[in-house]
Amino acid sequence: MTGLPAADAQIPIFTTLKEVYGSLPTAAKQAKRWDDLAREFEIKFGHKPTHVARAPGRVNLIGEHIDYADFGVFPAAIEHDILIACAPRPVDRHAPGSVVAENLHPRYTRQVFSPTRRHTLGDDVPLDAVRVAPWHLDIDKTELRWESYVKAGYYGVLNHFFSPSSTSPVPVPVDILVTGNVPPGSGLSSSAAMVVSSTLAFLAVNGIFDGENAPTKGELVNIAMENERRVGVNSGGMDQSASVIALPGSALYVSFVPSLHAEPIVLPRDAVFVCANSLVVSNKAESAKHQYNLRVAETLAAARLLSHHLNLQIDSNTKRRPVTLREVLARKSGFYRDEQDVQLEDLVRLRKGLVDILGIAMDYLLPKSGDRTDISVDEMIDKSGMDEAEFRKMYLSGVDVETANFELYLRARHVFEEALRVLEFREVCLAGGGNEESKLQTLGKLMNDSHDSCHRQFDCSHPKVNDLVRVARSFGEVGKGRIYGSRMTGAGWGGCTVSLVHREDVEAFITHVKKEYAPYEGMSDEDLASCVFATEPGMGACVFKFID
Ligand code: ADP
Ligand code: NG1
């Protein structure tokens, strides 16, 4: 452990592109995009931007679908990002805090909206006691709209930094122009990059970085997580952490217990991670009820059933939030509380703890007879020890219960095993000395096992993604070069894969994948280059300030 309190650092305010990207060659590559953005802003709004908020996408190297079970994950920021140029509107003919939002991509049309303060009268209070409700913005969760992500970011700024009282300062009217090159719905977290950059843009134009209330990186992550849930996805905190806290040259080991902690970890020298896009777009917000949110519900329900069965006495927590699988494991095995300090010997104990708890899970979460592994809603509620209405409210409100079959055992098993793989991955990266080749082989095997578990136990892959993983792994079989492992990355059900390749063989690997993955046939070189690319861990989010 480096001891670096990365989450406690201030959000950087930069004035040069070299600082923004942490490297001169990357800055030079990106400069034209920034110039175009600033020029278009002036054309559209008739005045110059004061700031650009930047938030990168991320690639998750390992640790899939376990952040919301409170287990640590291992992402890295990528160069692809969302940029939001912004400025207070100079001539104000609009409501306080009104927003004109434009996007350089024609798919995302111009939007105008204003936050409201809903003053309400309670039923049982005297007439002069007007209740001042928090700021409000309409976010349509039934339809995927790009401005929902802008509003989600704004929401957090309004409610954390502007009191709803009518005598407090109000937010300024704002013009914003968005551009992004994180492919949406591809597991590289364009949504978190949108929400983080939106949050930063509204903080910047309202001068919050100039005052003493400026949030730290960790605080920004917490606000962005809360914000993204407003779009209707019950997400964990991995993407926002990677986007905000990442540092160039290091992946991040992010743990959530006892509180958010991000540990920058340098990867083995010869390790290069290559992303490839399956071209299957997975629209998370629209499919949440039967995919993402259902998996969240299954893992939380599994934790609830196990904690009830084991009589772990953690029910008092359920009043605030559901018990997680990590908490169940920690209570059952009596250790593993402070994840940042997990050592090799703890891994041995953890493995034993996992074997024990998986035995219990098999016994309690699997149906007693037949070949099926899923259980019905009624059986699940019965085994939870909770009142039906209470259970439905806590676990099933974001889920399409009609179509769901609840696979509690397989989901819990994936989570426990994946958590162990992440700790092993971290341990290998941190180990000094040793044989580089065998390190890469161990990391690659962990990635392969992770993918197979995502596919078979967590059911969040896609046939085309499996095909892309097969193509990537076949690079080694045909003897062209060194590929150590390949897996889906991000939420899944489409999106990208990430492959661990030896630095010397990256070009040959990229050529192989472009040639062998059938859906790429006939694509232009430019499009192919945006589908298959090597990534080096990049810089996290920042605000760029124009100086006169
Ligand atoms: P991801 O896995 O990329 O996070 P999601 O389905 O969660 O995918 O979010 C993708 C959504 O984010 C898009 O449908 C769009 O609404 C929004 N988005 C992504 N990139 C942009 C962009 N450049 N401009 C505006 N909105 C964007
Ligand atoms: P994507 O959809 O790839 O950005 C989602 C969640 C993560 C994590 C992964 C699965 C959001 C914003 N992100 O990532 O927190 O749970 O799935 O590991 O919902």
Side-chain angles (χ1 to χ4, degrees):
M1 181 180 162
T2 61
L4 188 72
D8 295 341
Q10 292 299 308
I11 292 142
I13 315 286
F14 292 135
T15 52
T16 68
L17 280 194
K18 178 171 178 278
E19 293 168 297
V20 169
Y21 287 101
S23 113
L24 199 53
T26 312
K29 203 162 90 187
Q30 298 292 338
K32 183 170 179 310
R33 267 179 83 217
W34 284 66
D35 287 345
D36 292 348
L37 181 69
R39 197 186 51 249
E40 282 298 321
F41 185 97
E42 208 171 339
I43 293 171
K44 283 185 192 297
F45 297 113
H47 58 104
K48 290 182 192 297
T50 53
H51 300 86
V52 175
R54 171 192 185 253
R58 63 98 189 94
V59 55
N60 189 22
L61 306 183
I62 195 156
E64 222 59 87
H65 286 280
I66 63 172
D67 56 348
Y68 49 79
D70 273 349
F71 284 107
V73 291
F74 212 101
I78 57 176
E79 188 181 320
H80 300 62
D81 54 19
I82 300 282
L83 305 178
I84 303 188
C86 51
R89 197 168 318 124
V91 183
D92 178 23
R93 280 168 279 110
H94 297 80
S98 69
V99 177
V100 179
E102 295 259 14
N103 198 304
L104 279 191
H105 199 296
R107 180 200 305 158
Y108 305 118
T109 56
R110 177 186 164 98
Q111 302 292 325
V112 180
F113 53 88
S114 296
T116 52
R117 285 179 295 191
R118 288 184 174 167
H119 300 264
T120 56
L121 286 176
D123 294 339
D124 51 356
V125 288
L127 271 183
D128 56 347
V130 177
R131 278 194 194 144
V132 185
W135 290 93
H136 177 78
L137 284 159
D138 277 323
I139 295 185
D140 184 352
K141 292 187 185 169
T142 57
E143 195 191 345
L144 190 69
R145 301 186 60 90
W146 79 272
E147 74 278 13
S148 297
Y149 294 86
V150 178
K151 288 179 181 174
Y154 196 13
Y155 229 121
V157 174
L158 291 167
N159 285 322
H160 283 269
F161 299 93
F162 289 93
S163 151
S165 126
S166 52
T167 51
S168 312
V170 291
V172 297
V174 181
D175 291 325
I176 68 169
L177 177 60
V178 179
T179 187
N181 59 9
V182 187
S186 302
L188 300 180
S189 240
S190 68
S191 57
M194 275 294 292
V195 173
V196 169
S197 55
S198 158
T199 310
L200 285 175
F202 288 105
L203 288 171
V205 285
N206 282 291
I208 289 162
F209 291 114
D210 305 330
E212 55 195 28
N213 288 337
T216 62
K217 290 183 177 181
E219 285 161 355
L220 176 62
V221 170
N222 287 324
I223 296 172
M225 277 168 68
E226 187 185 303
N227 289 348
E228 189 146 353
R229 292 191 182 135
R230 295 183 193 279
V231 187
V233 181
N234 296 334
S235 68
M238 165 168 69
D239 305 343
Q240 298 82 1
S241 303
S243 185
V244 172
I245 306 176
L247 294 169
S250 302
L252 274 192
Y253 172 67
V254 184
S255 54
F256 305 95
V257 180
S259 60
L260 178 73
H261 181 85
E263 180 187 9
I265 294 186
V266 177
L267 298 165
R269 191 190 54 239
D270 291 329
V272 174
F273 291 88
V274 179
C275 296
N277 194 330
S278 70
L279 303 179
V280 178
V281 174
S282 159
N283 182 336
K284 197 158 74 284
E286 281 179 358
S287 60
K289 274 179 173 283
H290 58 273
Q291 290 183 337
Y292 191 87
N293 287 358
L294 176 57
R295 292 295 176 275
V296 177
E298 284 172 322
T299 53
L300 292 176
R304 165 68 213 186
L305 267 62
L306 285 173
S307 85
H308 173 65
H309 178 58
L310 294 166
N311 198 18
L312 292 180
Q313 309 293 334
I314 32 185
D315 292 358
S316 57
N317 279 350
T318 60
K319 295 255 181 309
R320 278 184 294 114
R321 61 179 207 117
V323 156
T324 61
L325 284 171
R326 185 192 185 284
E327 209 168 351
V328 171
L329 178 65
R331 292 291 177 106
K332 173 70 180 75
S333 53
F335 82 110
Y336 186 39
R337 277 167 208 280
D338 206 342
E339 210 168 278
Q340 295 135 34
D341 295 331
V342 169
Q343 306 287 322
L344 257 183
E345 57 271 26
D346 295 321
L347 287 184
V348 177
R349 291 176 68 195
L350 178 60
R351 246 178 238 118
K352 185 176 171 318
L354 280 171
V355 171
D356 288 351
I357 203 137
L358 279 171
I360 297 165
M362 191 182 286
D363 210 35
Y364 194 61
L365 302 181
L366 279 176
K368 284 281 167 271
S369 57
D371 293 337
R372 294 183 69 114
T373 48
D374 58 326
I375 67 174
S376 68
V377 179
D378 291 345
E379 197 178 352
M380 181 167 68
I381 295 173
D382 189 45
K383 286 182 158 193
S384 74
M386 279 170 86
D387 166 76
E388 176 168 353
E390 199 192 342
F391 184 92
R392 283 186 183 274
K393 184 166 171 236
M394 180 162 281
Y395 293 97
L396 304 180
S397 52
V399 161
D400 187 354
V401 181
E402 296 309 311
T403 60
N405 56 337
F406 290 83
E407 290 281 4
L408 302 194
Y409 172 69
L410 292 181
R411 310 306 184 226
R413 186 172 165 166
H414 164 82
V415 169
F416 287 135
E417 292 177 349
E418 184 79 350
L420 183 59
R421 282 189 282 271
V422 172
L423 291 171
E424 290 176 339
F425 200 94
R426 170 182 177 272
E427 205 55 50
V428 172
C429 293
L430 285 178
N435 178 323
E436 176 90 355
E437 181 66 16
S438 87
K439 275 189 184 179
L440 293 175
Q441 283 171 4
T442 309
L443 297 181
K445 168 144 189 354
L446 290 167
M447 290 173 68
N448 285 341
D449 291 348
S450 166
H451 179 79
D452 297 344
S453 179
C454 284
H455 168 41
R456 291 180 209 291
Q457 307 200 84
F458 215 73
D459 193 17
C460 62
S461 189
H462 184 281
K464 288 250 166 30
V465 174
N466 295 341
D467 201 30
L468 194 49
V469 163
R470 185 192 53 71
V471 165
R473 291 180 188 171
S474 75
F475 178 66
E477 287 152 25
V478 294
K480 291 184 179 170
R482 288 155 289 182
I483 159 105
Y484 300 99
S486 184
R487 57 180 296 273
M488 54 157 272
T489 184
W493 296 287
C496 287
T497 60
V498 56
S499 305
L500 172 56
V501 182
H502 195 284
R503 190 170 290 280
E504 290 166 2
D505 297 333
V506 169
E507 285 314 312
F509 174 76
I510 290 177
T511 308
H512 167 84
V513 174
K514 285 179 178 171
K515 182 160 163 279
E516 299 296 329
Y517 181 57
Y520 290 158
E521 204 180 319
M523 281 175 65
S524 69
D525 287 350
E526 195 187 341
D527 286 347
L528 277 174
S530 68
C531 285
V532 192
F533 52 89
T535 58
E536 297 287 348
M539 183 73 156
C542 69
V543 171
F544 179 93
K545 191 171 179 177
F546 289 95
I547 36 181
D548 302 324

